Amino acid sequence: MLGHPGRVGNLYEGSIAAKKALDIYGETRDETLSMKDWAFARRQTVGINSFSPISGWAFSWAYPSDCLRVRSLAPINIPSPDFDPQPVLWSIYNSGTSKLILSQITPVNINYVGRITDMTAWDPLFVNILVQSIALKLGPSLRNEIAPVVNVDTAITTAMSANELQAPNDDALSRVMNERPVQR
């Protein structure tokens, strides 16, 4: 997508492009997963009580380790992550050392978007958006490798000069046309 002359076949191959891609890959994958409720990334787990309620909230739940974004909390007796007849109020609390999900109900199912690292599980649309996101971030850092920075004024002047050399003016064109032998 960037027009880079080489193909990065493996993020660990050691090329400059691969190293730069590796630097942004995990972060960009997680950002792209978080921006939408991708069907392949939806997860549900029973909340694990953290035993440290925060003022104003009756219960606190451990934040799932693979959670990128909490979608909803639901009473545990509701089996489907998409069935939510009544909204359940919840909040995220970050203590600096751990993240908690706060609620007024127990027990709960935590519905969330999970970190999916298995590429075979990814939806083709997700892959396309991830590639575009990586290209947007990678482009500026690889620009000098792809082509040197071009001075626009110099490029326009050079192009105009080349055009004048290739295209004769009107007088020269009419002379050439009149000098051509007529074929019958």
Side-chain angles (χ1 to χ4, degrees):
M1 289 186 77
L2 292 172
H4 191 267
R7 176 179 165 83
V8 177
N10 182 336
L11 290 177
Y12 302 101
E13 71 187 20
S15 68
I16 293 171
K19 287 177 184 176
K20 290 179 180 186
L22 184 60
D23 286 345
I24 64 168
Y25 171 74
E27 173 187 305
T28 307
R29 178 202 59 222
D30 290 353
E31 286 173 359
T32 307
L33 279 166
S34 295
M35 63 191 246
K36 184 177 179 324
D37 286 343
W38 302 98
F40 71 90
R42 290 182 191 164
R43 299 290 180 258
Q44 182 180 61
T45 189
V46 174
I48 300 171
N49 196 331
S50 75
F51 302 108
S52 56
I54 306 300
S55 178
W57 296 93
F59 303 98
S60 59
W61 311 99
Y63 202 83
S65 62
D66 66 335
C67 179
L68 295 174
R69 181 173 52 84
V70 175
R71 296 175 57 234
S72 65
L73 262 59
I76 207 161
N77 58 351
I78 297 177
S80 169
D82 295 319
F83 180 70
D84 191 11
Q86 297 178 4
V88 174
L89 294 177
W90 56 275
S91 183
I92 304 289
Y93 176 78
N94 192 342
S95 70
T97 57
S98 64
K99 259 180 158 175
L100 301 172
I101 302 168
L102 310 173
S103 76
Q104 302 293 7
I105 64 167
T106 189
V108 295
N109 279 329
I110 301 170
N111 302 307
Y112 64 97
V113 174
R115 178 178 291 112
I116 309 300
T117 58
D118 177 8
M119 294 180 194
T120 62
W122 293 353
D123 181 271
L125 179 60
F126 171 79
V127 172
N128 190 355
I129 293 171
L130 177 60
V131 168
Q132 289 179 33
S133 298
I134 289 172
L136 282 172
K137 289 182 178 183
L138 209 53
S141 65
L142 292 179
R143 184 172 297 136
N144 290 336
E145 285 184 42
I146 295 169
V149 176
V150 174
N151 180 321
V152 176
D153 293 331
T154 304
I156 291 172
T157 304
T158 304
M160 289 173 64
S161 299
N163 189 37
E164 287 173 6
L165 291 173
Q166 291 175 356
N169 61 30
D170 290 341
D171 293 336
L173 184 60
S174 62
R175 260 186 280 129
V176 169
M177 293 300 286
N178 290 331
E179 292 172 2
R180 288 180 37 198
V182 178
Q183 295 180 356
R184 293 186 190 194

